[in-house]
Amino acid sequence: MADLNFYSGTMDCGKSTLALQVDHNHRARGRVGRVFTSHDRAGKATLSSRLGLAVAAIEVADDFHFWEYTVGELTQGGRIDYFVCDEAQFYTIDQINQLAKITDELSIDVFAFGILTDFRTQLFPGSLRLVELADHVHTLQVEALCWCGLRATHNARTEDGVMVTEGEVIVVGDVEDATRPVPMVGYEVLCRRHHRRRMTAATAKASAMSPDVLPFG
């Protein structure tokens, strides 16, 4: 019997690395699978890890239909034992429903990897649906750390080092603003305390170096 598995965590906790390892382990045992991703840092149709590893993947756009793709592959004589689905937080609710249907009706194991919440601390629709449907929900054990050294629990978006809490959920490239120079967009993991205070590593360093901040003593 096949299972729908969801592995979640913050950025920098090794989700893509584990996805690559899962794919390797199954292939090493003679199983045949497909690798999917969406909006990977390395570009389209690539599943990459920050450790430098990467494999070719199938890009999941909003109009990609998992069920039709799978039935088409099987009808043409293809073999599919498992799916590895990275960046699953970006999948649509209907796509997650299709993955559950594929697991139940075609007996294909699904291993989905993704972030639970966006930079606004709100659940991604794809991740929420996975939590609702998955046979197993796993929290990755590798803890990402906030700049203060505590366990990071929240993902933050920054513009020129300053945390922002509004804007499009998915940003590809820099965010444009006609009224000022294009800001440098980045992402950082923070503990809840510093996410609430909007204190990133850059702003914390700036505060520490400010002449207006008197030393203790």
Side-chain angles (χ1 to χ4, degrees):
M1 182 177 293
D3 285 332
L4 173 58
N5 299 274
F6 180 39
Y7 298 82
S8 68
T10 62
M11 296 183 300
D12 297 335
C13 71
K15 294 183 304 302
S16 296
T17 302
L18 180 58
L20 290 165
Q21 185 68 52
V22 168
D23 177 53
H24 170 77
N25 289 351
H26 283 262
R27 284 191 292 107
R29 294 297 177 265
R31 304 193 81 202
V32 178
R34 302 290 190 277
V35 177
F36 302 89
T37 191
S38 180
H39 301 285
D40 189 273
R41 67 183 70 83
K44 287 187 177 181
T46 302
L47 193 169
S48 67
S49 162
R50 285 185 172 84
L51 297 181
L53 305 174
V55 298
I58 299 170
E59 184 72 17
V60 179
D62 287 347
D63 60 352
F64 183 83
H65 202 281
F66 279 102
W67 179 260
E68 291 181 356
Y69 168 83
T70 307
V71 171
E73 289 286 291
L74 296 176
T75 300
Q76 295 176 22
R79 173 183 167 186
I80 305 176
D81 298 314
Y82 67 93
F83 282 170
V84 169
C85 301
D86 198 29
E87 306 292 356
Q89 71 272 10
F90 296 136
Y91 299 3
T92 67
I93 291 175
D94 186 51
Q95 287 168 339
I96 302 303
N97 291 339
Q98 292 167 35
L99 289 174
K101 182 179 180 181
I102 288 167
T103 302
D104 294 339
E105 300 190 19
L106 301 178
S107 295
I108 294 174
D109 287 311
V110 174
F111 303 93
F113 302 81
I115 297 170
L116 273 179
T117 59
D118 61 24
F119 69 100
R120 303 166 302 177
T121 70
Q122 298 176 9
L123 282 165
F124 283 98
S127 296
L128 174 59
R129 193 60 177 147
L130 276 165
V131 170
E132 293 169 341
L133 294 181
D135 295 296
H136 308 285
V137 177
H138 312 269
T139 300
L140 270 66
Q141 298 304 307
V142 177
E143 294 186 352
L145 299 179
C146 177
W147 60 264
C148 69
L150 295 178
R151 177 173 177 263
T153 54
H154 291 66
N155 305 299
R157 177 184 293 170
T158 62
E159 292 184 11
D160 298 330
V162 178
M163 180 176 155
V164 296
T165 57
E166 296 180 353
E168 296 294 328
V169 173
I170 302 175
V171 174
V172 179
D174 290 336
V175 176
E176 296 184 3
D177 184 339
T179 64
R180 65 183 178 87
V182 178
M184 180 65 69
V185 177
Y187 289 88
E188 184 177 344
V189 289
L190 301 171
C191 65
R192 185 181 64 242
R193 177 181 301 174
H194 288 124
H195 191 280
R196 289 179 55 249
R197 296 177 179 176
R198 302 189 185 184
M199 184 171 286
T200 65
T203 55
K205 181 178 180 180
S207 296
M209 296 177 63
S210 172
D212 295 329
V213 179
L214 298 177
F216 292 103

